[in-house]
């Protein structure tokens, strides 16, 4: 009977330890996620400040680069598709 009680006590202690470790791991994961979010916000704010400092022509150049990036990708896909059809 004493052995069964010791085993039960050991199991209870083991479960308590696992629960504590699980809580610590969850807290660490939440803290890391919060830090990552803060870094993302800081980077977005820095980008926003950089954008405010841009002149009108800089904004237009950047917009043109973004606009043509999609067109260039489509052209590459189409030219790649035509090469596949010729085989």
């Amino acid at each position: 009977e004493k052995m069964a009680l010791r085993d039960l006590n050991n199991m209870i202690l083991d479960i308590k330890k696992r629960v504590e470790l699980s809580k610590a791991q969850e807290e660490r994961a939440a803290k890391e996620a919060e830090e990552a979010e803060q870094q993302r916000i800081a980077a977005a704010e820095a980008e926003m400040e950089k954008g405010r400092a841009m002149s009108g022509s800089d904004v237009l150049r950047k917009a043109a680069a973004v606009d043509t990036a999609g067109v260039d990708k489509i052209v590459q896909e189409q030219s790649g598709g035509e090469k596949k059809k010729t085989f």
Side-chain angles (χ1 to χ4, degrees):
E1 189 176 303
K2 283 186 176 184
M3 285 180 61
L5 288 175
R6 280 189 212 142
D7 287 344
L8 181 60
N9 187 32
N10 288 337
M11 283 190 272
I12 291 171
L13 291 176
D14 186 45
I15 291 171
K16 282 184 178 180
K17 186 176 180 179
R18 288 183 187 181
V19 168
E20 289 173 2
L21 289 174
S22 176
K23 285 182 183 179
Q25 186 179 18
E26 288 175 4
E27 289 173 1
R28 188 177 338 119
K31 184 178 178 182
E32 289 174 357
E34 182 179 333
E35 289 174 359
E37 181 66 17
Q38 289 175 352
Q39 289 176 353
R40 187 191 66 79
I41 290 172
E45 287 176 354
E47 184 69 26
M48 186 173 59
E49 288 299 322
K50 187 193 291 185
R52 286 184 185 155
M54 292 173 68
S55 67
S57 60
D58 291 337
V59 171
L60 291 175
R61 270 191 231 113
K62 191 170 184 175
V66 169
D67 186 40
T68 58
V71 173
D72 292 341
K73 184 178 178 181
I74 292 171
V75 169
Q76 286 177 347
E77 288 175 359
Q78 288 177 350
S79 66
E82 290 175 6
K83 288 181 182 178
K84 291 179 183 177
K85 291 180 184 177
T86 58
F87 284 109

